Amino acid sequence: MENVPAPRRELDETARRHIAVARQLLVETDDLDFSELTQNDLCRLVGRYEVVTAMLILTVEGGDR
């Protein structure tokens, strides 16, 4: 069975915002030295990643409408 890519769909404004937030988080954390972060910093960062992950799941599943 051959993998066939799903047709691309137009993203609405909410989906575009979700993707923009994810990209911004990646930019902000790209050069971080995680060994220098405090436990509180790491907890906040993990929380931000959890929120972004949930936003992207909603976008992929089409639940952003």
Side-chain angles (χ1 to χ4, degrees):
M1 184 173 188
E2 186 178 328
N3 284 338
V4 178
R8 292 184 65 140
R9 66 179 171 95
E10 282 297 313
L11 298 175
D12 63 13
E13 184 61 31
T14 302
R16 284 193 294 274
R17 260 190 316 230
H18 289 176
I19 293 169
V21 169
R23 286 181 176 153
Q24 183 62 36
L25 180 58
L26 290 174
V27 167
E28 290 174 7
T29 59
D30 189 41
D31 293 329
L32 277 182
D33 181 1
F34 292 99
S35 64
E36 294 181 3
L37 297 178
T38 66
Q39 184 174 356
N40 285 339
D41 293 336
L42 288 171
C43 287
R44 278 194 294 276
L45 188 59
V46 167
R48 288 181 66 195
Y49 272 105
E50 286 176 342
V51 169
V52 167
T53 301
M55 290 166 62
L56 291 175
I57 289 170
L58 285 173
T59 298
V60 168
E61 291 180 347
D64 53 310
R65 294 169 205 188

Short mmCIF file of all heavy atoms in Angstrom, two decimals:
data_model
loop_
_atom_site.label_atom_id
_atom_site.label_comp_id
_atom_site.label_asym_id
_atom_site.label_seq_id
_atom_site.Cartn_x
_atom_site.Cartn_y
_atom_site.Cartn_z
N MET A 1 0.85 -1.18 0.00
CA MET A 1 0.00 0.00 0.00
C MET A 1 0.89 1.24 0.00
O MET A 1 1.82 1.35 0.78
CB MET A 1 -0.91 -0.03 1.22
CG MET A 1 -1.87 1.08 1.27
SD MET A 1 -2.99 0.75 2.64
CE MET A 1 -4.14 2.01 2.39
N GLU A 2 0.60 2.14 -0.86
CA GLU A 2 1.40 3.34 -1.05
C GLU A 2 0.88 4.48 -0.17
O GLU A 2 -0.32 4.68 -0.04
CB GLU A 2 1.30 3.74 -2.51
CG GLU A 2 2.19 4.88 -2.88
CD GLU A 2 2.06 5.18 -4.36
OE1 GLU A 2 1.82 4.25 -5.14
OE2 GLU A 2 2.19 6.34 -4.71
N ASN A 3 1.82 5.22 0.44
CA ASN A 3 1.43 6.39 1.23
C ASN A 3 1.12 7.54 0.28
O ASN A 3 1.95 7.93 -0.53
CB ASN A 3 2.55 6.83 2.16
CG ASN A 3 2.67 5.93 3.37
OD1 ASN A 3 1.72 5.26 3.72
ND2 ASN A 3 3.82 5.91 3.99
N VAL A 4 -0.08 8.03 0.38
CA VAL A 4 -0.50 9.15 -0.45
C VAL A 4 -0.71 10.35 0.46
O VAL A 4 -1.45 10.26 1.43
CB VAL A 4 -1.82 8.82 -1.20
CG1 VAL A 4 -2.27 10.00 -2.03
CG2 VAL A 4 -1.64 7.57 -2.04
N PRO A 5 -0.03 11.47 0.16
CA PRO A 5 -0.20 12.63 1.04
C PRO A 5 -1.63 13.16 0.98
O PRO A 5 -2.28 13.12 -0.06
CB PRO A 5 0.79 13.66 0.47
CG PRO A 5 1.13 13.20 -0.89
CD PRO A 5 0.86 11.71 -0.95
N ALA A 6 -2.08 13.60 2.13
CA ALA A 6 -3.43 14.19 2.20
C ALA A 6 -3.43 15.51 1.45
O ALA A 6 -2.42 16.20 1.39
CB ALA A 6 -3.81 14.42 3.66
N PRO A 7 -4.56 15.84 0.85
CA PRO A 7 -4.62 17.13 0.15
C PRO A 7 -4.43 18.28 1.14
O PRO A 7 -4.89 18.22 2.28
CB PRO A 7 -6.02 17.15 -0.46
CG PRO A 7 -6.78 16.10 0.25
CD PRO A 7 -5.80 15.12 0.83
N ARG A 8 -3.72 19.30 0.70
CA ARG A 8 -3.51 20.46 1.56
C ARG A 8 -4.79 21.25 1.67
O ARG A 8 -5.54 21.37 0.72
CB ARG A 8 -2.41 21.34 0.98
CG ARG A 8 -1.06 20.67 1.06
CD ARG A 8 -0.01 21.60 0.58
NE ARG A 8 0.05 22.72 1.51
CZ ARG A 8 1.15 23.29 1.92
NH1 ARG A 8 2.29 22.87 1.47
NH2 ARG A 8 1.14 24.30 2.75
N ARG A 9 -5.04 21.75 2.86
CA ARG A 9 -6.23 22.56 3.04
C ARG A 9 -5.80 23.98 3.39
O ARG A 9 -4.72 24.20 3.92
CB ARG A 9 -7.12 21.99 4.14
CG ARG A 9 -6.52 22.03 5.53
CD ARG A 9 -7.49 21.46 6.57
NE ARG A 9 -6.86 21.30 7.85
CZ ARG A 9 -6.92 22.19 8.83
NH1 ARG A 9 -7.59 23.30 8.68
NH2 ARG A 9 -6.32 21.97 9.97
N GLU A 10 -6.63 24.91 3.07
CA GLU A 10 -6.35 26.29 3.43
C GLU A 10 -6.46 26.44 4.94
O GLU A 10 -7.40 25.93 5.55
CB GLU A 10 -7.35 27.23 2.75
CG GLU A 10 -7.05 27.49 1.31
CD GLU A 10 -5.71 28.19 1.10
OE1 GLU A 10 -5.42 29.18 1.80
OE2 GLU A 10 -4.96 27.72 0.23
N LEU A 11 -5.50 27.14 5.52
CA LEU A 11 -5.53 27.36 6.96
C LEU A 11 -6.32 28.62 7.27
O LEU A 11 -6.17 29.64 6.60
CB LEU A 11 -4.11 27.51 7.50
CG LEU A 11 -3.20 26.30 7.33
CD1 LEU A 11 -1.80 26.65 7.82
CD2 LEU A 11 -3.74 25.10 8.07
N ASP A 12 -7.15 28.53 8.29
CA ASP A 12 -7.88 29.72 8.70
C ASP A 12 -7.00 30.55 9.63
O ASP A 12 -5.87 30.19 9.94
CB ASP A 12 -9.22 29.36 9.35
CG ASP A 12 -9.07 28.57 10.63
OD1 ASP A 12 -7.96 28.49 11.17
OD2 ASP A 12 -10.08 28.03 11.10
N GLU A 13 -7.51 31.68 10.06
CA GLU A 13 -6.72 32.61 10.87
C GLU A 13 -6.25 31.97 12.18
O GLU A 13 -5.10 32.17 12.60
CB GLU A 13 -7.54 33.86 11.17
CG GLU A 13 -6.78 34.92 11.92
CD GLU A 13 -5.57 35.44 11.16
OE1 GLU A 13 -5.59 35.46 9.92
OE2 GLU A 13 -4.59 35.82 11.83
N THR A 14 -7.08 31.18 12.82
CA THR A 14 -6.70 30.53 14.08
C THR A 14 -5.55 29.56 13.85
O THR A 14 -4.59 29.55 14.62
CB THR A 14 -7.91 29.80 14.69
OG1 THR A 14 -8.95 30.73 14.90
CG2 THR A 14 -7.54 29.14 16.01
N ALA A 15 -5.63 28.77 12.81
CA ALA A 15 -4.56 27.81 12.51
C ALA A 15 -3.26 28.54 12.21
O ALA A 15 -2.19 28.13 12.67
CB ALA A 15 -4.97 26.92 11.34
N ARG A 16 -3.33 29.62 11.47
CA ARG A 16 -2.12 30.40 11.17
C ARG A 16 -1.51 30.98 12.44
O ARG A 16 -0.29 31.01 12.60
CB ARG A 16 -2.43 31.50 10.16
CG ARG A 16 -2.59 30.98 8.75
CD ARG A 16 -2.57 32.09 7.73
NE ARG A 16 -3.72 32.98 7.84
CZ ARG A 16 -4.90 32.76 7.27
NH1 ARG A 16 -5.09 31.70 6.53
NH2 ARG A 16 -5.88 33.62 7.41
N ARG A 17 -2.37 31.42 13.36
CA ARG A 17 -1.86 31.93 14.65
C ARG A 17 -1.18 30.83 15.44
O ARG A 17 -0.12 31.04 16.04
CB ARG A 17 -3.00 32.52 15.47
CG ARG A 17 -3.08 34.01 15.41
CD ARG A 17 -4.07 34.50 16.42
NE ARG A 17 -5.24 33.65 16.34
CZ ARG A 17 -6.48 34.05 16.24
NH1 ARG A 17 -6.75 35.30 16.27
NH2 ARG A 17 -7.47 33.22 16.14
N HIS A 18 -1.78 29.63 15.48
CA HIS A 18 -1.19 28.50 16.20
C HIS A 18 0.20 28.19 15.66
O HIS A 18 1.14 27.98 16.42
CB HIS A 18 -2.07 27.27 16.08
CG HIS A 18 -3.35 27.37 16.84
ND1 HIS A 18 -4.30 26.37 16.79
CD2 HIS A 18 -3.85 28.31 17.67
CE1 HIS A 18 -5.32 26.71 17.56
NE2 HIS A 18 -5.07 27.88 18.09
N ILE A 19 0.32 28.16 14.36
CA ILE A 19 1.61 27.86 13.74
C ILE A 19 2.61 28.97 14.01
O ILE A 19 3.79 28.71 14.29
CB ILE A 19 1.43 27.60 12.23
CG1 ILE A 19 0.63 26.30 12.05
CG2 ILE A 19 2.77 27.53 11.51
CD1 ILE A 19 0.15 26.05 10.65
N ALA A 20 2.17 30.21 13.98
CA ALA A 20 3.06 31.34 14.27
C ALA A 20 3.58 31.28 15.70
O ALA A 20 4.77 31.54 15.95
CB ALA A 20 2.34 32.66 14.02
N VAL A 21 2.72 30.93 16.64
CA VAL A 21 3.14 30.81 18.04
C VAL A 21 4.17 29.69 18.19
O VAL A 21 5.18 29.85 18.89
CB VAL A 21 1.92 30.56 18.97
CG1 VAL A 21 2.35 30.18 20.37
CG2 VAL A 21 1.03 31.79 19.00
N ALA A 22 3.96 28.57 17.53
CA ALA A 22 4.91 27.46 17.59
C ALA A 22 6.26 27.87 17.01
O ALA A 22 7.31 27.59 17.59
CB ALA A 22 4.36 26.25 16.85
N ARG A 23 6.23 28.54 15.87
CA ARG A 23 7.48 28.99 15.25
C ARG A 23 8.22 29.97 16.15
O ARG A 23 9.43 29.92 16.29
CB ARG A 23 7.19 29.65 13.91
CG ARG A 23 6.85 28.66 12.84
CD ARG A 23 6.61 29.35 11.52
NE ARG A 23 6.38 28.36 10.48
CZ ARG A 23 5.66 28.58 9.40
NH1 ARG A 23 5.11 29.77 9.21
NH2 ARG A 23 5.49 27.64 8.51
N GLN A 24 7.48 30.88 16.77
CA GLN A 24 8.10 31.87 17.66
C GLN A 24 8.76 31.18 18.85
O GLN A 24 9.86 31.55 19.25
CB GLN A 24 7.07 32.88 18.14
CG GLN A 24 7.64 33.97 19.01
CD GLN A 24 8.68 34.81 18.30
OE1 GLN A 24 8.56 35.08 17.12
NE2 GLN A 24 9.68 35.22 19.03
N LEU A 25 8.11 30.19 19.42
CA LEU A 25 8.69 29.46 20.54
C LEU A 25 9.99 28.77 20.12
O LEU A 25 10.98 28.79 20.86
CB LEU A 25 7.70 28.44 21.11
CG LEU A 25 8.18 27.61 22.30
CD1 LEU A 25 8.58 28.51 23.47
CD2 LEU A 25 7.11 26.63 22.72
N LEU A 26 9.99 28.17 18.95
CA LEU A 26 11.21 27.53 18.46
C LEU A 26 12.33 28.54 18.27
O LEU A 26 13.49 28.28 18.63
CB LEU A 26 10.94 26.79 17.15
CG LEU A 26 10.07 25.54 17.28
CD1 LEU A 26 9.76 24.99 15.89
CD2 LEU A 26 10.76 24.49 18.13
N VAL A 27 12.02 29.71 17.75
CA VAL A 27 13.03 30.76 17.57
C VAL A 27 13.58 31.20 18.91
O VAL A 27 14.80 31.34 19.09
CB VAL A 27 12.43 31.96 16.79
CG1 VAL A 27 13.34 33.18 16.87
CG2 VAL A 27 12.16 31.58 15.36
N GLU A 28 12.68 31.40 19.88
CA GLU A 28 13.10 31.88 21.20
C GLU A 28 13.97 30.87 21.94
O GLU A 28 14.79 31.25 22.77
CB GLU A 28 11.88 32.21 22.05
CG GLU A 28 11.12 33.43 21.58
CD GLU A 28 9.84 33.64 22.36
OE1 GLU A 28 9.59 32.92 23.35
OE2 GLU A 28 9.07 34.54 21.98
N THR A 29 13.76 29.60 21.69
CA THR A 29 14.48 28.57 22.46
C THR A 29 15.62 27.93 21.68
O THR A 29 16.32 27.06 22.20
CB THR A 29 13.51 27.47 22.92
OG1 THR A 29 12.89 26.88 21.78
CG2 THR A 29 12.47 28.01 23.87
N ASP A 30 15.85 28.37 20.46
CA ASP A 30 16.86 27.76 19.60
C ASP A 30 18.26 27.81 20.20
O ASP A 30 19.00 26.84 20.15
CB ASP A 30 16.84 28.41 18.22
CG ASP A 30 17.71 27.67 17.22
OD1 ASP A 30 17.69 26.43 17.24
OD2 ASP A 30 18.40 28.35 16.44
N ASP A 31 18.63 28.94 20.76
CA ASP A 31 19.99 29.11 21.26
C ASP A 31 20.10 29.01 22.78
O ASP A 31 21.11 29.41 23.35
CB ASP A 31 20.54 30.47 20.82
CG ASP A 31 20.74 30.54 19.32
OD1 ASP A 31 21.04 29.49 18.71
OD2 ASP A 31 20.58 31.64 18.75
N LEU A 32 19.07 28.51 23.43
CA LEU A 32 19.11 28.40 24.89
C LEU A 32 20.12 27.36 25.35
O LEU A 32 20.25 26.30 24.75
CB LEU A 32 17.74 27.99 25.45
CG LEU A 32 16.70 29.08 25.64
CD1 LEU A 32 15.44 28.48 26.25
CD2 LEU A 32 17.21 30.19 26.52
N ASP A 33 20.82 27.69 26.42
CA ASP A 33 21.68 26.71 27.09
C ASP A 33 20.86 26.17 28.26
O ASP A 33 20.76 26.80 29.31
CB ASP A 33 22.97 27.37 27.58
CG ASP A 33 23.89 26.38 28.24
OD1 ASP A 33 23.55 25.18 28.32
OD2 ASP A 33 24.97 26.81 28.70
N PHE A 34 20.25 25.02 28.04
CA PHE A 34 19.32 24.47 29.04
C PHE A 34 20.00 24.16 30.36
O PHE A 34 19.36 24.13 31.40
CB PHE A 34 18.62 23.24 28.48
CG PHE A 34 17.68 23.55 27.35
CD1 PHE A 34 18.07 23.37 26.03
CD2 PHE A 34 16.43 24.05 27.60
CE1 PHE A 34 17.21 23.68 24.99
CE2 PHE A 34 15.55 24.37 26.57
CZ PHE A 34 15.96 24.18 25.25
N SER A 35 21.31 23.95 30.35
CA SER A 35 22.02 23.64 31.59
C SER A 35 22.07 24.86 32.52
O SER A 35 22.29 24.71 33.72
CB SER A 35 23.44 23.15 31.29
OG SER A 35 24.20 24.18 30.69
N GLU A 36 21.84 26.05 31.97
CA GLU A 36 21.89 27.27 32.78
C GLU A 36 20.52 27.70 33.30
O GLU A 36 20.41 28.66 34.03
CB GLU A 36 22.52 28.41 31.98
CG GLU A 36 23.98 28.17 31.65
CD GLU A 36 24.60 29.31 30.88
OE1 GLU A 36 23.91 30.32 30.64
OE2 GLU A 36 25.78 29.19 30.53
N LEU A 37 19.47 27.00 32.90
CA LEU A 37 18.12 27.37 33.33
C LEU A 37 17.83 26.83 34.71
O LEU A 37 18.25 25.73 35.07
CB LEU A 37 17.09 26.84 32.34
CG LEU A 37 17.16 27.39 30.92
CD1 LEU A 37 16.09 26.74 30.06
CD2 LEU A 37 17.00 28.90 30.90
N THR A 38 17.07 27.59 35.47
CA THR A 38 16.65 27.12 36.78
C THR A 38 15.51 26.12 36.62
O THR A 38 14.92 26.00 35.54
CB THR A 38 16.16 28.29 37.66
OG1 THR A 38 14.96 28.81 37.08
CG2 THR A 38 17.21 29.37 37.79
N GLN A 39 15.16 25.45 37.69
CA GLN A 39 14.05 24.51 37.66
C GLN A 39 12.75 25.23 37.28
O GLN A 39 11.95 24.72 36.51
CB GLN A 39 13.89 23.80 38.99
CG GLN A 39 12.82 22.75 38.99
CD GLN A 39 12.78 21.97 40.29
OE1 GLN A 39 13.59 22.15 41.17
NE2 GLN A 39 11.81 21.08 40.40
N ASN A 40 12.55 26.43 37.83
CA ASN A 40 11.34 27.20 37.49
C ASN A 40 11.32 27.59 36.03
O ASN A 40 10.27 27.53 35.38
CB ASN A 40 11.25 28.46 38.36
CG ASN A 40 10.82 28.14 39.77
OD1 ASN A 40 10.24 27.11 40.04
ND2 ASN A 40 11.12 29.04 40.69
N ASP A 41 12.47 27.99 35.49
CA ASP A 41 12.55 28.32 34.06
C ASP A 41 12.18 27.11 33.21
O ASP A 41 11.43 27.22 32.24
CB ASP A 41 13.96 28.78 33.67
CG ASP A 41 14.34 30.11 34.29
OD1 ASP A 41 13.44 30.90 34.63
OD2 ASP A 41 15.57 30.35 34.43
N LEU A 42 12.71 25.95 33.57
CA LEU A 42 12.41 24.74 32.81
C LEU A 42 10.94 24.37 32.89
O LEU A 42 10.34 23.96 31.90
CB LEU A 42 13.28 23.58 33.30
CG LEU A 42 14.76 23.67 32.92
CD1 LEU A 42 15.56 22.59 33.65
CD2 LEU A 42 14.95 23.56 31.42
N CYS A 43 10.34 24.53 34.07
CA CYS A 43 8.91 24.23 34.23
C CYS A 43 8.06 25.15 33.36
O CYS A 43 7.11 24.71 32.71
CB CYS A 43 8.50 24.36 35.69
SG CYS A 43 9.09 23.01 36.71
N ARG A 44 8.40 26.45 33.35
CA ARG A 44 7.66 27.39 32.50
C ARG A 44 7.84 27.03 31.02
O ARG A 44 6.88 27.08 30.25
CB ARG A 44 8.14 28.82 32.75
CG ARG A 44 7.51 29.46 33.98
CD ARG A 44 7.75 30.96 33.99
NE ARG A 44 9.16 31.29 34.17
CZ ARG A 44 9.78 31.37 35.34
NH1 ARG A 44 9.11 31.14 36.44
NH2 ARG A 44 11.04 31.68 35.41
N LEU A 45 9.04 26.65 30.64
CA LEU A 45 9.30 26.29 29.25
C LEU A 45 8.53 25.04 28.84
O LEU A 45 7.93 24.99 27.77
CB LEU A 45 10.80 26.08 29.05
CG LEU A 45 11.28 25.89 27.63
CD1 LEU A 45 10.92 27.09 26.76
CD2 LEU A 45 12.78 25.66 27.61
N VAL A 46 8.51 24.05 29.72
CA VAL A 46 7.73 22.83 29.44
C VAL A 46 6.26 23.18 29.31
O VAL A 46 5.56 22.68 28.41
CB VAL A 46 7.97 21.77 30.54
CG1 VAL A 46 6.95 20.64 30.44
CG2 VAL A 46 9.38 21.22 30.44
N GLY A 47 5.77 24.04 30.16
CA GLY A 47 4.37 24.48 30.08
C GLY A 47 4.07 25.15 28.76
O GLY A 47 3.03 24.91 28.14
N ARG A 48 4.98 26.00 28.30
CA ARG A 48 4.78 26.66 27.00
C ARG A 48 4.75 25.64 25.87
O ARG A 48 3.94 25.73 24.96
CB ARG A 48 5.88 27.69 26.76
CG ARG A 48 5.76 28.91 27.64
CD ARG A 48 6.83 29.92 27.37
NE ARG A 48 6.70 30.48 26.02
CZ ARG A 48 7.67 31.15 25.43
NH1 ARG A 48 8.81 31.36 26.04
NH2 ARG A 48 7.48 31.64 24.21
N TYR A 49 5.65 24.66 25.93
CA TYR A 49 5.66 23.62 24.90
C TYR A 49 4.37 22.79 24.93
O TYR A 49 3.87 22.39 23.89
CB TYR A 49 6.88 22.72 25.04
CG TYR A 49 8.08 23.23 24.28
CD1 TYR A 49 9.14 23.82 24.95
CD2 TYR A 49 8.15 23.14 22.91
CE1 TYR A 49 10.24 24.30 24.25
CE2 TYR A 49 9.24 23.61 22.20
CZ TYR A 49 10.29 24.19 22.89
OH TYR A 49 11.38 24.67 22.20
N GLU A 50 3.85 22.53 26.13
CA GLU A 50 2.59 21.78 26.22
C GLU A 50 1.45 22.54 25.56
O GLU A 50 0.64 21.95 24.83
CB GLU A 50 2.25 21.50 27.69
CG GLU A 50 3.12 20.45 28.33
CD GLU A 50 2.82 20.27 29.81
OE1 GLU A 50 2.21 21.17 30.43
OE2 GLU A 50 3.22 19.23 30.35
N VAL A 51 1.38 23.84 25.80
CA VAL A 51 0.32 24.66 25.22
C VAL A 51 0.46 24.68 23.70
O VAL A 51 -0.52 24.50 22.97
CB VAL A 51 0.34 26.09 25.80
CG1 VAL A 51 -0.55 27.02 25.01
CG2 VAL A 51 -0.05 26.07 27.26
N VAL A 52 1.68 24.88 23.22
CA VAL A 52 1.91 24.93 21.77
C VAL A 52 1.59 23.59 21.13
O VAL A 52 0.98 23.52 20.06
CB VAL A 52 3.36 25.38 21.47
CG1 VAL A 52 3.73 25.13 20.02
CG2 VAL A 52 3.54 26.84 21.83
N THR A 53 1.97 22.50 21.79
CA THR A 53 1.66 21.17 21.26
C THR A 53 0.15 20.98 21.15
O THR A 53 -0.35 20.48 20.14
CB THR A 53 2.28 20.07 22.15
OG1 THR A 53 3.70 20.27 22.19
CG2 THR A 53 1.98 18.69 21.62
N ALA A 54 -0.59 21.38 22.17
CA ALA A 54 -2.05 21.26 22.13
C ALA A 54 -2.63 22.11 21.00
O ALA A 54 -3.55 21.67 20.29
CB ALA A 54 -2.65 21.68 23.47
N MET A 55 -2.08 23.32 20.81
CA MET A 55 -2.56 24.17 19.73
C MET A 55 -2.32 23.53 18.37
O MET A 55 -3.19 23.56 17.49
CB MET A 55 -1.86 25.53 19.80
CG MET A 55 -2.27 26.37 20.99
SD MET A 55 -1.18 27.78 21.30
CE MET A 55 -1.36 28.72 19.82
N LEU A 56 -1.15 22.92 18.19
CA LEU A 56 -0.84 22.29 16.91
C LEU A 56 -1.69 21.05 16.67
O LEU A 56 -2.10 20.77 15.55
CB LEU A 56 0.64 21.95 16.84
CG LEU A 56 1.58 23.16 16.74
CD1 LEU A 56 3.03 22.71 16.78
CD2 LEU A 56 1.30 23.96 15.48
N ILE A 57 -1.98 20.31 17.73
CA ILE A 57 -2.87 19.15 17.59
C ILE A 57 -4.25 19.60 17.13
O ILE A 57 -4.84 19.01 16.23
CB ILE A 57 -2.95 18.35 18.91
CG1 ILE A 57 -1.62 17.62 19.15
CG2 ILE A 57 -4.13 17.36 18.90
CD1 ILE A 57 -1.49 16.99 20.53
N LEU A 58 -4.76 20.66 17.72
CA LEU A 58 -6.05 21.20 17.29
C LEU A 58 -6.01 21.61 15.82
O LEU A 58 -6.95 21.37 15.07
CB LEU A 58 -6.45 22.41 18.14
CG LEU A 58 -6.95 22.12 19.53
CD1 LEU A 58 -7.13 23.42 20.31
CD2 LEU A 58 -8.24 21.35 19.48
N THR A 59 -4.92 22.22 15.42
CA THR A 59 -4.79 22.65 14.04
C THR A 59 -4.76 21.48 13.09
O THR A 59 -5.46 21.46 12.07
CB THR A 59 -3.51 23.50 13.87
OG1 THR A 59 -3.63 24.66 14.70
CG2 THR A 59 -3.31 23.94 12.44
N VAL A 60 -3.98 20.45 13.41
CA VAL A 60 -3.84 19.29 12.53
C VAL A 60 -5.16 18.53 12.46
O VAL A 60 -5.56 18.07 11.39
CB VAL A 60 -2.71 18.37 13.03
CG1 VAL A 60 -2.74 17.03 12.33
CG2 VAL A 60 -1.37 19.05 12.84
N GLU A 61 -5.85 18.42 13.58
CA GLU A 61 -7.11 17.69 13.59
C GLU A 61 -8.28 18.51 13.06
O GLU A 61 -9.39 18.00 12.94
CB GLU A 61 -7.42 17.22 15.01
CG GLU A 61 -6.45 16.15 15.49
CD GLU A 61 -6.76 15.69 16.90
OE1 GLU A 61 -7.56 16.36 17.60
OE2 GLU A 61 -6.20 14.67 17.31
N GLY A 62 -8.04 19.76 12.77
CA GLY A 62 -9.11 20.60 12.25
C GLY A 62 -10.06 21.12 13.32
O GLY A 62 -11.14 21.60 13.02
N GLY A 63 -9.65 21.04 14.58
CA GLY A 63 -10.50 21.49 15.66
C GLY A 63 -10.41 22.96 15.93
O GLY A 63 -10.92 23.46 16.91
N ASP A 64 -9.72 23.67 15.06
CA ASP A 64 -9.55 25.11 15.26
C ASP A 64 -10.74 25.90 14.76
O ASP A 64 -10.77 27.11 14.83
CB ASP A 64 -8.27 25.59 14.56
CG ASP A 64 -8.24 25.19 13.08
OD1 ASP A 64 -8.48 24.01 12.81
OD2 ASP A 64 -7.99 26.06 12.25
N ARG A 65 -11.75 25.24 14.26
CA ARG A 65 -12.94 25.95 13.74
C ARG A 65 -14.08 25.89 14.70
O ARG A 65 -14.28 25.00 15.43
CB ARG A 65 -13.37 25.31 12.44
CG ARG A 65 -12.33 25.52 11.44
CD ARG A 65 -12.58 24.69 10.25
NE ARG A 65 -11.23 24.59 9.74
CZ ARG A 65 -10.88 24.09 8.62
NH1 ARG A 65 -11.73 23.58 7.86
NH2 ARG A 65 -9.66 24.07 8.23
#
